[in-house]
Every structure is written in structure tokens, then in C-alpha cells.
Amino acid sequence: MTKMMLSYLCGVTCMLQVVRATVNISDCPIILEDPSETIEPNTVLEKHESALLILLGFGGFSVILALIHNAIRKHIFRDEHNLDTTFDAGGNVSISLTAVTVAAQTFWPADILQCATLATKLGVSGTFWYSVGVVINMFLFPIFSVHFKTRAPGAKTYLQVINARFGKKAHLVFCCFALVTNLVVITGLLLAGKTTMQSVTVNVSEEYTLLVMATLFGSYSLIGGIGTTFYVCYFNLSFTFIVLTVFFTTVLCTNTSAFPNLGDISKMYDIVSCVEGSSDNNLMSFRSAGGIVYGIVGFILACSLTYCNQSAWQNRIAAKPMQGVLGFIFAGLMWIAIPSTLGNTTGLAYLTLSAENRTHLLTAGQIDQGLVSPLIAEKVLGPAGGIMILSMVFMALMSTGSGEVMAVSSILVYDIYQTYIRPFRRSLEQAQCVLCGKASKPDTDTSTNEIDVCQCPIVTSCKQCVEDILRREVNKSTDGSISIYKCPVHGPYRMYQDHLIDFKNWCIIWVAIAIIPVGLMIFSSGIDLNWIFFVGAIVIIPAFPAIILAVMWEKETSEGIITGSISGLLAGIAATLISATRYDGGLSNFVVNTSQEYPILAGSCCSLGVGLIVCIVVSALTHKIKTKADADAEWQKIYDIDNPLNPWEQNYREELKGQHYDKKPSFDQMAAAFRREKNIAYISGGSITVLFTFIIPGIMLSFPVIDETQFKIWIGLTQAWAVLMGIIAIVAPPTEEFLKIQRQRRKNKEHEINLLREYEYSRDCDLST
């Protein structure tokens, strides 16, 4: 405690020395020079203090949430011993919980740091275009995901769709793209975590930082699976909104003697409007060429990091179509409130304080590393500010990092181990039953009784399976042993699934451990957060059009997606390198020049354009779809993806009520049942996309330079929106989750009463006999 007080007093002394000068706005424009000496945020925590805060505080709390989630799944929903539940949380996550989870996992630690970096360089336009570019893909995602959920309701990864439609060659190519996507995201997480940890912790090493993050990512994911990440994301996002509110009210609304130029929006406007931005951009104008470039690039990169990222699809798979559609819409509205408010607050505060000395407080390299937010937080709020930023970053790390660990684990389990290393039945062809290997019985034909057609009973109507499950629970509660399943149809597959559950646990452990050596290689490479966010993602951009078309266009072919993605990759890399050679130093200054605005723009557009065009052209030349029957047969490939022990039909019985079918509904019945959800996705997603793509940017671009009144309105709107979204994020999820648990408890009681009646009826019949 004494050390923290001394650190605080030293920090205040330094602050007073820095802000002695007053700003004379008659000297416009103010040109900020490079700092004569390096200034960094003061470290406010010892290593053991940060470990206690992160591991015992955040980590311990997350483990408790994991145990609570497991108890709910076991005693309320009764599906905890299920491989699919680990990766889809039961497939019935509520709207608000989906929204806060998507918003929390989309709000990467890089956003906390990057939005302030762009605000520092470009002013109000930097944060605005950055936020708009990222959020548009969140509003478009429901349109694509509702098709995924209705056309491949049993798929647990998007790679299963690629495999079912296009075969092993395309599947292997896109497994590589998927894992590279996870690597890019994890790299950004590790760099952001390292920057923040080292900015507030005394003498912290890279190995220590990686050990803390690996433990944090893997601990509660191992215990509770993806379901726990939904609970953790709720608390993380709630905490983020609370901290954000405290932060912007302190910086923008509270005037102190130490910082006379902060706390007064009018005074901040006068100062920042005099500062000359990079490339002579006016910091109070939305007509920044650099900002618009970052908006376009941000949209393309955000799409690639969303649609190629199994973590994003995993959150979508965990919800039903309606919950997923509305959940992603609300997630976008929640997410945009955070970077827009945080970026304006920290970026404008940094420019204001820098203008007082007429020099930047940080070097250009430190700004690109993302040190603006930690510096401003520590200067304005003292040690508490540094702890608040550290908490925000590591909560974002928990949400996104655990999602990436679960994404990589699901790919290893479903798409590598189960597909290639140890499948339950090798050489299984399309439309063959995984249990018996025979041709699946057509849903429309209820009279077929040939020997070579599958006659396996549905697991929900198999009495031997009920006895196996009861026997297993009794044995576990008495002597801890697990009995061998005796059902001749489902028993072998149950044992196989138990093996996959054990393998899943090892996958989570080894993925978390692998973060340490991977992180050391990343840190030693010299790349920064700005580079990995904009340049590193270019290699995955050509894959995302093919992934979207896989659930939208029946004429896409294996040849199309392979040639399109590879040619787009080569074109994007070539365009980036060629554009980078036009800057001083060429490729010898690789990291700096490849992360300039126009190399990024050239690489992103070429990668996307070539990949999309080649995929469409080659597919159009090689497809064999001529009739509606051919198209239906193509969609049937992904419609048949299912787990025989956990059929997806069970999760949709409420929506399919009134439909008549055998084992599962037909493709047309499924489409008819969720036609309303598709319409809502198109209408809501399309209209909000138009709002954020054309209407709001059009209004902002209509002002050459915003005046003081417009600036106050803009800042006030972002603050009010952040408060409103914070209230919704805090109140809605626990309310909806409580009601959901109550409904399930009533269903359980009704089910138990029905079983008791059947038992008494059968007993009476036996006695009468």
C-alpha cells in the first residue's frame, strides 16, 4: 500500500511538471514535435500484485462461474455430459446473452488501444471510421448466419460445411486459413496484453506475461466449455461499461487543478482544433482521407477476422436463428458505443496534454504500440487509472482469448481428429448413417424396408439408451466407475463420444500451453499491434467470400474456392509489398512501410477482389447445378450433418410444432419454419447497415470541419449511447437467463410427472395381469 501511495505522489508531481504550461490558442496551428525524452506510463503494480489481481481475481471468479454453469447444465438442463454442449452451450442461448458475448469477444484488447491510436493521429474521424468499418460486418453477419443455421443446423464448425460440400482438398485448405485466423487474433491479444501488463507492472518479463495469459485463457474454458465464456463475457462487458462511464466523466466532465484544460469540452475543442494532424488533416473534420481509408480497410479486415474465425461462428451456432439474428444486431449496437467513446476520450485528452508542451508525450513507435490509453488513464486517474485499463484489457483478453482457445479446440476435435485421425467409421460416404454405415432412409419415404437401408432407432426413443444412461449415473454416484454401454446401436458411438470428450480436454490444455512458445516467437519478431491488426489479416481476406458463398450460393464448387482463395492470397501479398516499396527505405523498413495506409488498402482490396472474382468465375464454369433438384441435393449435403446422440431436431421441436415428419423435417419444412427469421435478418441487418454505411457517414461528411456546438453534440451522443447500452448489457442478460431457467424447471417437473404416471400405469397393468 505504501508503494502505491509513493507511486501516486510521484505520478502527481510529474503531472504537475508536465502541465505547467498553458495553451495559447492564438498560436494556431500547433505543430507537435517529437518528444525529446521518452515518457511512459508509471508502473503501479508489483508482479505479485498483478498476479493476484488477474489470476485470483479474474481467473478465480471465472472458475466459480464455470462451476455454476456446469451445475446449471447438470441439474437444470441435464446435458453436461455431451461433447456438443462443450462447444454450443446447449444451442439455445438467449438474445441478450448472445449480444453481450459477441460484443465482448469482438471488443478485442487491440480495440482499447487501437481506437485511441487512430484518434491521436486523425482526430474525431479516426475513431469514427474505425468503429463504422468494424461494426458494419456485425450487422451483416445475421444475414449469412441465419442461412448457416437453417441449412446446416447440425454443424458445429463452418469447416464441417466446407468438408461436406467440397471434399477433403478444400477442407484442408480452409483448415489452414481458419488456424491462421486464430493465430492472427491470438497474436493481437498477446501483443495488447504485453503492452498493457508492462505499462502498469514493475519489471514484468515476457515469459511472466505469457504464463498469466495462458493460465487465464485455458482455466475456465477447460472446466465449463464455451457456456462459461457466455457468463464471463457478461461480467466483462458490464465491468467495461462501468469503467468507461467513470473514465469519460472524469476526463471530459470533471475539471481539476492538475489538468485545467481537461474536464471542459469547450476548452478541449479549442485546443485540439489548433493541433495540426498527420498529413495536414484537420483533427475536427470527418473528411480525413486517412480515416476513410482506415474505415474501408477496417471493414474488409473485420469481415475476414469474423467470417474466417471459428470463434464468431461458434457464438452463432450456440443460439437459435431468431436469438442469433437479434443477438448480433444488439451486439453491434453495444460494441460501437465502447471504441467510439473510449477513443474520443483518450485520444482527445492525449492531444490536449501534448499541446500544452507542444510535443508528443509518446514517440511514434509507442503510439503504434497502443500506449495512449494506459498513459492517459494513469495520468488522469493515477494508479487507479492504470489498474482500470489493466482490468479492461485483461477482461477483454479473457473473453476473446477463451473464445479463440475453444475455436482452435473445436477445429482440432471436429475437423482434424474426428475427420482424419480417428473417425468413428472410415470411408463414410454422403447420406450414409454413421452408426451402421448403411444408406440413410429418405425422410419422404416411410415405407422403405430394404435390408441395405438404415433402420437405426432415434436415440430419444431408444429404451436401451435410457437404461445405459441411468446405469452410468448410478455407477458414478456409488463407486465412481463408468459402465460399458450395452445398447448395440448407440453404445459404441457413446463410447467414441466419451473418448472425444477426454480428447477435447487435452486439446484445451495443449492449446493454452502452446500460447507460451508462440508468444515468445511473436515478441521476438518485432511486429507491433498496428502491423498485426492491419497487415497480418491480409493473408486471410481471400477466404471469407468463399465461406459466405458456401452457405449462400449452391453453384460454388471446390475448384472455385481453392483457386479463388489462393489467387487472392498471392495478389494481396504482392499488392502490399509493391505499394510498400514506394516509401522511404522500401522493404528494408518492412514493418513500418507495409503498415502504411495505402499498402494496407491495396493489399486488402486486391486480396478481396481477386479472391471473390476468381471464386465466382471458376465456380460458374465448373458447377453442375442445372435444376432445383440439383440445388436441393447440394444443400442436403450440409443439412445431413448431425450427431446421432444429440440430433439437432430436438432443439427445434418448439419451432417445428405442427410439422409432420419422420426422424427430422425436410429441407423445405425447415426453411418454411424460419422464414420470419430470414426476413428479420434481411430487413434489420440491411437497414442498419445502410444507416451506418451511408446515412450517418453522409451526415458527418457534410460538415467540412465541425464547430464547437457540433462537437459537443457528437461527444454527448456517444456518451449517452454508451450509458444506454451499458444499462441494457447489465440488466437484460441475468433477467432473461433467470426466466429461461425457470421455464426449464417447469418442463422438468412436467416430464417427471408424466414419467411417474407412465410408471404407475405400467405397474397397474402388471398387477392386473
Side-chain angles (χ1 to χ4, degrees):
M1 192 67 178
T2 303
K3 291 182 180 180
M4 290 185 66
M5 290 298 297
L6 290 174
S7 176
Y8 177 74
L9 292 175
C10 292
V12 171
T13 303
C14 294
M15 293 176 214
L16 292 175
Q17 292 176 351
V18 170
V19 301
R20 283 181 304 181
T22 58
V23 180
N24 186 357
I25 59 176
S26 63
D27 296 337
C28 286
I30 299 173
I31 301 175
L32 299 181
E33 303 291 339
D34 293 332
S36 57
E37 60 181 8
T38 302
I39 301 175
E40 295 184 356
N42 292 322
T43 54
V44 298
L45 292 175
E46 298 289 343
K47 284 198 293 186
H48 70 277
E49 292 173 333
S50 64
L52 288 173
L53 174 66
I54 296 169
L55 295 181
L56 292 184
F58 302 151
F61 181 66
S62 301
V63 169
I64 293 173
L65 289 179
L67 296 174
I68 293 173
H69 173 266
N70 281 356
I72 292 174
R73 301 311 307 188
K74 180 177 180 180
H75 299 290
I76 304 298
F77 296 95
R78 299 170 183 175
D79 61 355
E80 85 287 356
H81 186 72
N82 190 313
L83 177 67
D84 291 344
T85 301
T86 303
F87 296 108
D88 68 1
N92 190 21
V93 179
S94 62
I95 295 173
S96 57
L97 205 56
T98 300
V100 296
T101 301
V102 172
Q105 292 191 353
T106 305
F107 184 59
W108 298 346
D111 293 332
I112 299 175
L113 310 180
Q114 189 69 25
C115 63
T117 297
L118 293 180
T120 301
K121 293 181 176 181
L122 304 172
V124 292
S125 70
T127 303
F128 172 75
W129 290 109
Y130 174 84
S131 303
V132 168
V134 174
V135 81
I136 289 174
N137 91 88
M138 298 176 68
F139 296 135
L140 289 174
F141 196 79
I143 297 175
F144 307 122
S145 65
V146 72
H147 285 278
F148 182 97
K149 198 63 179 175
T150 54
R151 288 175 172 171
K156 302 305 174 187
T157 70
Y158 75 85
L159 294 169
Q160 288 181 301
V161 173
I162 301 293
N163 187 32
R165 279 201 64 183
F166 309 116
K168 290 186 177 181
K169 290 182 180 179
H171 183 244
L172 290 172
V173 170
F174 277 78
C175 280
C176 295
F177 275 111
L179 293 174
V180 170
T181 303
N182 296 129
L183 179 62
V184 169
V185 176
I186 291 174
T187 300
L189 299 180
L190 298 181
L191 290 172
K194 172 194 170 186
T195 298
T196 308
M197 179 76 87
Q198 292 182 342
S199 67
V200 298
T201 306
V202 178
N203 296 327
V204 63
S205 65
E206 295 176 348
E207 294 81 2
Y208 172 84
T209 303
L210 290 170
L211 181 61
V212 169
M213 286 191 280
T215 305
L216 197 65
F217 294 171
S219 57
Y220 69 90
S221 300
L222 177 63
I223 297 173
I226 195 175
T228 303
T229 66
F230 284 87
Y231 286 9
V232 171
C233 286
Y234 161 71
F235 284 98
N236 289 355
L237 195 68
S238 300
F239 179 83
T240 298
F241 273 113
I242 293 171
V243 170
L244 181 63
T245 304
V246 172
F247 197 55
F248 76 67
T249 52
T250 303
V251 174
L252 300 178
C253 306
T254 305
N255 190 271
T256 62
S257 58
F259 301 100
N261 294 315
L262 298 184
D264 187 334
I265 296 180
S266 297
K267 191 178 295 185
M268 294 178 67
Y269 172 82
D270 292 336
I271 295 172
V272 175
S273 61
C274 283
V275 176
E276 186 174 284
S278 60
S279 303
D280 297 327
N281 288 320
N282 191 306
L283 298 178
M284 286 298 167
S285 173
F286 290 95
R287 296 182 181 182
S288 165
I292 296 174
V293 167
Y294 275 114
I296 297 171
V297 171
F299 168 70
I300 298 174
L301 297 184
C303 286
S304 64
L305 291 171
T306 298
Y307 302 129
C308 299
N309 192 348
Q310 169 57 22
S311 178
W313 290 103
Q314 212 155 249
N315 294 329
R316 179 62 193 85
I317 290 167
K320 290 184 177 181
M322 178 63 80
Q323 285 81 350
V325 169
L326 298 180
F328 266 85
I329 295 294
F330 282 112
L333 297 175
M334 290 179 183
W335 180 89
I336 198 171
I338 305 174
S340 59
T341 305
L342 182 62
N344 286 332
T345 301
T346 55
L348 297 179
Y350 172 86
L351 292 170
T352 301
L353 297 181
S354 296
E356 293 170 348
N357 273 1
R358 298 183 181 270
T359 62
H360 278 286
L361 300 179
L362 299 170
T363 65
Q366 289 174 319
I367 292 174
D368 285 338
Q369 289 176 14
L371 286 177
V372 173
S373 292
L375 177 71
I376 296 302
E378 188 271 329
K379 281 189 172 299
V380 175
L381 298 172
I387 295 173
M388 288 167 65
I389 288 293
L390 178 68
S391 301
M392 284 183 67
V393 169
F394 270 87
M395 283 194 158
L397 281 171
M398 287 169 59
S399 299
T400 310
S402 62
E404 296 304 313
V405 169
M406 294 303 298
V408 175
S409 300
S410 65
I411 293 172
L412 294 176
V413 172
Y414 287 107
D415 294 288
I416 297 178
Y417 189 79
Q418 189 178 19
T419 303
Y420 298 108
I421 299 176
R422 189 179 172 181
F424 178 74
R425 188 178 297 277
R426 294 188 181 275
S427 302
L428 193 70
E429 300 294 335
Q430 289 283 348
Q432 285 186 335
C433 174
V434 69
L435 297 176
C436 63
K438 297 180 180 180
S440 298
K441 187 176 181 180
D443 294 323
T444 56
D445 185 3
T446 59
S447 60
T448 305
N449 292 312
E450 291 86 351
I451 298 176
D452 57 344
V453 173
C454 170
Q455 299 295 328
C456 297
I458 303 175
V459 67
T460 53
S461 61
C462 181
K463 295 183 178 180
Q464 289 178 301
C465 283
V466 175
E467 294 174 357
D468 281 344
I469 294 173
L470 291 175
R471 189 184 307 110
R472 182 183 187 279
E473 294 300 322
V474 170
N475 290 346
K476 283 181 63 177
S477 61
T478 54
D479 59 6
S481 63
I482 300 177
S483 61
I484 298 176
Y485 302 108
K486 296 183 178 180
C487 176
V489 178
H490 303 99
Y493 198 77
R494 286 190 185 278
M495 296 179 65
Y496 176 70
Q497 289 281 290
D498 288 346
H499 170 72
L500 291 182
I501 291 174
D502 294 335
F503 178 74
K504 170 267 301 180
N505 295 333
W506 284 108
C507 282
I508 295 174
I509 293 172
W510 286 112
V511 170
I513 293 175
I515 287 174
I516 298 175
V518 170
L520 291 174
M521 289 188 289
I522 292 168
F523 294 162
S524 63
S525 67
I527 62 176
D528 57 35
L529 190 61
N530 192 60
W531 189 91
I532 191 62
F533 185 78
F534 289 108
V535 181
I538 289 178
V539 298
I540 59 177
I541 288 174
F544 94 80
I547 295 170
I548 293 174
L549 292 175
V551 295
M552 299 290 291
W553 191 36
E554 66 275 8
K555 295 181 181 180
E556 188 179 34
T557 64
S558 175
E559 295 83 359
I561 68 171
I562 293 175
T563 55
S565 58
I566 294 177
S567 60
L569 172 64
L570 298 176
I573 294 175
T576 303
L577 297 179
I578 293 172
S579 300
T581 58
R582 301 175 59 187
Y583 293 86
D584 294 338
L587 295 180
S588 60
N589 195 9
F590 182 78
V591 173
V592 174
N593 288 343
T594 54
S595 59
Q596 298 288 345
E597 297 170 1
Y598 292 103
I600 295 171
L601 180 64
S604 302
C605 293
C606 288
S607 185
L608 173 62
V610 173
L612 178 61
I613 293 172
V614 172
C615 177
I616 292 176
V617 171
V618 174
S619 295
L621 296 174
T622 57
H623 76 86
K624 298 179 181 179
I625 307 296
K626 297 181 179 179
T627 63
K628 184 180 182 302
D630 294 335
D632 290 343
E634 188 68 20
W635 293 128
Q636 193 68 36
K637 294 177 182 178
I638 61 176
Y639 193 70
D640 288 336
I641 300 173
D642 206 356
N643 184 341
L645 300 184
N646 187 34
W648 57 259
E649 179 270 338
Q650 296 182 65
N651 201 34
Y652 293 96
R653 287 182 178 176
E654 185 175 346
E655 290 80 5
L656 294 167
K657 190 177 295 182
Q659 301 273 21
H660 300 286
Y661 52 86
D662 186 12
K663 292 183 178 181
K664 64 181 179 182
S666 66
F667 185 79
D668 292 334
Q669 287 176 317
M670 191 71 172
F674 293 101
R675 185 172 290 112
R676 183 186 61 167
E677 284 76 1
K678 288 183 180 180
N679 293 335
I680 292 175
Y682 277 103
I683 294 172
S684 60
S687 58
I688 296 179
T689 300
V690 170
L691 176 67
F692 279 89
T693 306
F694 300 106
I695 298 177
I696 295 179
I699 295 173
M700 297 296 102
L701 290 172
S702 66
F703 305 113
V705 177
I706 58 174
D707 58 28
E708 181 181 330
T709 301
Q710 294 163 344
F711 177 71
K712 287 182 177 180
I713 293 174
W714 176 247
I715 296 297
L717 286 175
T718 58
Q719 292 175 346
W721 189 252
V723 172
L724 176 61
M725 290 296 101
I727 293 172
I728 295 174
I730 293 171
V731 174
T735 303
E736 201 169 5
E737 193 71 4
F738 175 78
L739 295 175
K740 176 183 168 184
I741 292 173
Q742 288 295 97
R743 286 194 299 269
Q744 186 62 38
R745 289 185 63 187
R746 286 195 295 268
K747 288 182 180 179
N748 293 343
K749 289 182 179 179
E750 293 174 359
H751 180 65
E752 291 168 359
I753 292 172
N754 291 334
L755 287 178
L756 181 61
R757 288 175 178 172
E758 291 179 4
Y759 171 76
E760 291 177 348
Y761 176 77
S762 61
R763 186 187 60 179
D764 292 341
C765 291
D766 292 339
L767 291 174
S768 62
T769 303

